[in-house]
Amino acid sequence: MIDATPGAWRPLPGPDAILQRRKQIVADVVRQGFIDDLHPLCGVLDLDTLDELMWSLQAVYPAELPAVHTIAAKAITLRPVLARFADAGFGCEVASPGELELALAAGFPAERIVFDSPAKTTTEIARALELGVSFNVDNFEELARVDQAVSQAVARIGRPRSVIGMRLNPQTGAGAIDAMSTATSTSKFGIGLADHRDEIVTAFAMRPWLSQLHVHSGSQGMRLEHAAEGVRLTAEVAADIDKRVGFQQIQRIDVGGGLPVNFRSDRITPTFADHRAALQAAVPQLFDGTYTLVTEFGRALTAKAGTVVARVEYTKVTGGRPIAITHAGVQVATRSIFAPEAWPLRVEVYDPHGRRREDPALVQDVAGPACFTGDMLAVGRELPAVHPGDLVAVPDTGGYYFSTHFSYNALPRPAVYTVGTDSAGDRRWSLARRAQTIEQIVTEAGEPSLKPLPFVSPACPSD
Ligand SMILES: *Cc1c(COP(=O)(O)O)cnc(C)c1O
């Protein structure tokens, strides 16, 4: 067992420590024979780094400040890893019925789960109320549905235990990555604050069971001050609502996640302490203990703990450019392959024994295994000469890369292993997720033959 007690807090690892851990990981992967013809790539999560990231978030908020820190499930849908977050006292932010059941299976208590889908069905709303899971209403039509569900729940179980909130779009504008910006004036998420401020305050005044405001205005490519501005506007609405009703109706402010990750080096920056400092500067009232603070970080809690390790199958020179053909491509690094400018990944080269190559750099391409031209992990990158049988390691892949498999070419989901130091100082390896088998791929590709369905007679148009 790895020690996850809060008392065991350690500082965040520096870049040298992270590199050292990764070198050890690749050497261990080779020694343990995780890479072979059937399994030419795998993912590894370093639990020491993961724990240090968790602790670094918990440590920047004083124990006396009421707070619920959740892990955004979509960043890391691995059941035993989510269970580790649950054991460390985290809650879980979920956005689909699958993620909700996964969070429950991983051991998160219902009162520490926050359900944020923008497309909740009537059944999902009823399930959240029955479980006592917190959820945030995304739009006025959903609010009308929740009105009905709440009155039915009240008739059945009395006042719902769920903390019910509303997601606001502060409409503060885009960050550097358009597809990742949640707070533009036309973003699909939440209720536009600039558009509907009075209706929002009135909606709360009419519903004493609405007690939470939610904003997720940060994202990769977004400055911390910009995201904090969204939280400041949200806290203003909270004060307006409380003033209107004459008591403290807003109990919790959920500031979302979206702390950017540095993909360019092994340095962890910005930190949760930087995030908190930006919030403190913009919204000091958030820290006076009036509200319970909810956070929903995903990438910043996980990215730096993950490494993809893949074998180089062949090398060749085409048009004068050396190209290494590896097994890590669009199936694991989907976003980076389709949007390499927004989601650059570093690539490191290791020899077949798992020793990092340090030879002088040479401009090369690193390709994935999928059958389309754009499946390139790196183009024109300066790297030590790559040889067949080498391994490439892709750092910073602990968030989203293991949980967002893309089944192009029916390429299987790779295994994900974890490694961490136990209390005796020994490195312990575990399996977090088995690799998808070829048999599973065939089974999941559909029925053996077309399956006739019962005949439904067409409705009579004259009715
Ligand atoms: C995706 C998401 C998060 C996590 O975002 P990160 O950038 O991974 O921190 C948190 N809250 C909501 C509502 C989200 O959609």
Side-chain angles (χ1 to χ4, degrees):
M1 245 330 267
I2 290 140
D3 199 352
T5 53
W9 183 82
R10 289 198 306 268
L12 275 178
D16 296 342
I18 295 210
L19 173 61
Q20 216 43 52
R21 286 173 185 178
R22 192 164 58 247
K23 285 176 161 177
Q24 186 72 53
I25 281 171
V26 180
D28 284 0
V29 161
V30 172
R31 217 178 359 259
Q32 311 206 51
F34 291 157
I35 301 278
D36 58 24
D37 275 10
L38 259 185
H39 308 99
L41 85 157
C42 67
V44 180
L45 268 177
D46 189 308
L47 298 181
D48 295 340
T49 307
L50 195 73
D51 286 350
E52 286 152 7
L53 286 166
M54 283 188 220
W55 294 328
S56 76
L57 170 58
Q58 290 170 327
V60 294
Y61 291 91
E64 63 278 10
L65 184 74
V68 181
H69 297 297
T70 68
I71 169 75
K74 69 177 183 287
I76 185 91
T77 45
L78 297 170
R79 184 171 166 178
V81 178
L82 288 174
R84 190 174 186 84
F85 278 93
D87 287 346
F90 271 73
C92 193
E93 188 269 345
V94 299
S96 71
E99 287 183 358
L100 173 56
E101 296 309 316
L102 177 58
L104 292 167
F108 292 98
E111 67 274 13
R112 277 200 262 133
I113 297 177
V114 181
F115 181 34
D116 276 336
S117 155
K120 301 177 202 77
T121 63
T122 306
T123 308
E124 288 164 29
I125 292 166
R127 172 104 176 116
L129 283 171
E130 185 191 300
L131 289 166
V133 160
S134 171
F135 61 95
N136 291 305
V137 172
D138 179 83
N139 56 69
F140 287 116
E141 291 177 11
E142 183 186 340
L143 185 60
R145 264 195 202 177
V146 173
D147 281 340
Q148 285 219 313
V150 167
S151 54
Q152 284 161 8
V154 166
R156 245 187 17 260
I157 56 173
R159 196 188 155 100
R161 286 166 298 135
S162 299
V163 177
I164 308 175
M166 185 184 278
R167 178 165 185 173
L168 303 185
N169 171 1
Q171 297 178 307
T172 45
I177 308 175
D178 274 350
M180 297 301 293
S181 296
T182 52
T184 60
S185 69
T186 56
S187 157
K188 76 169 183 174
F189 293 113
I191 297 179
L193 186 51
D195 299 344
H196 298 289
R197 192 189 179 95
D198 289 345
E199 289 149 279
I200 292 166
V201 175
T202 305
F204 273 81
M206 289 166 63
R207 295 171 180 81
W209 43 264
L210 270 181
S211 62
Q212 172 168 268
L213 282 169
H214 175 222
V215 62
H216 171 59
S217 52
S219 60
Q220 189 69 20
M222 182 76 90
R223 284 183 311 109
L224 299 188
E225 296 73 26
H226 191 134
E229 177 61 8
V231 178
R232 190 186 67 78
L233 292 169
T234 302
E236 262 180 26
V237 176
D240 281 3
I241 292 167
D242 290 349
K243 196 158 148 228
R244 166 89 81 94
V245 298
F247 66 97
Q248 193 196 330
Q249 180 171 338
I250 303 301
Q251 299 297 323
R252 305 209 308 192
I253 295 189
D254 180 341
V255 301
L259 180 65
V261 164
N262 168 28
F263 286 95
R264 300 186 186 280
S265 76
D266 285 322
R267 189 171 299 282
I268 297 178
T269 181
T271 62
F272 292 117
D274 298 331
H275 180 266
R276 185 207 147 127
L279 274 187
Q280 182 108 42
V283 211
Q285 64 273 34
L286 210 55
F287 298 89
D288 67 9
T290 306
Y291 305 111
T292 297
L293 196 71
V294 182
T295 68
E296 306 174 337
F297 293 103
R299 187 174 292 107
L301 279 168
T302 50
K304 287 289 178 191
T307 306
V308 168
V309 183
R311 195 170 68 190
V312 175
E313 203 61 47
Y314 299 107
T315 60
K316 60 182 166 186
V317 178
T318 299
R321 172 74 59 85
I323 305 174
I325 315 276
T326 79
H327 288 277
V330 76
Q331 84 277 38
V332 278
T334 316
R335 243 183 200 151
S336 297
I337 299 289
F338 287 127
E341 263 89 64
W343 299 99
L345 283 172
R346 291 178 291 147
V347 177
E348 290 179 337
V349 186
Y350 290 74
D351 75 13
H353 303 290
R355 285 178 303 229
R356 192 164 181 263
R357 289 197 186 273
E358 314 277 357
D359 330 329
L362 173 78
V363 174
Q364 295 165 87
D365 289 355
V366 181
C371 290
F372 73 97
T373 308
D375 187 29
M376 303 297 292
L377 206 51
V379 174
R381 193 78 63 89
E382 290 200 4
L383 293 169
V386 185
H387 303 270
D390 278 359
L391 298 164
V392 289
V394 190
D396 309 327
T397 44
Y400 296 89
Y401 290 95
F402 303 155
S403 57
T404 322
H405 182 76
F406 184 51
S407 55
Y408 196 92
N409 277 153
L411 287 162
R413 272 191 309 272
V416 180
Y417 299 95
T418 63
V419 63
T421 314
D422 69 11
S423 43
D426 293 322
R427 291 167 64 72
R428 298 282 177 194
W429 280 84
S430 306
L431 177 67
R433 182 185 69 198
R434 234 169 260 290
Q436 192 180 23
T437 64
I438 302 298
E439 293 73 38
Q440 284 169 330
I441 286 181
V442 174
T443 306
E444 288 165 23
E447 302 300 322
S449 61
L450 290 178
K451 198 171 177 171
L453 296 173
F455 180 70
V456 181
S457 52
C460 179
S462 63
D463 285 352

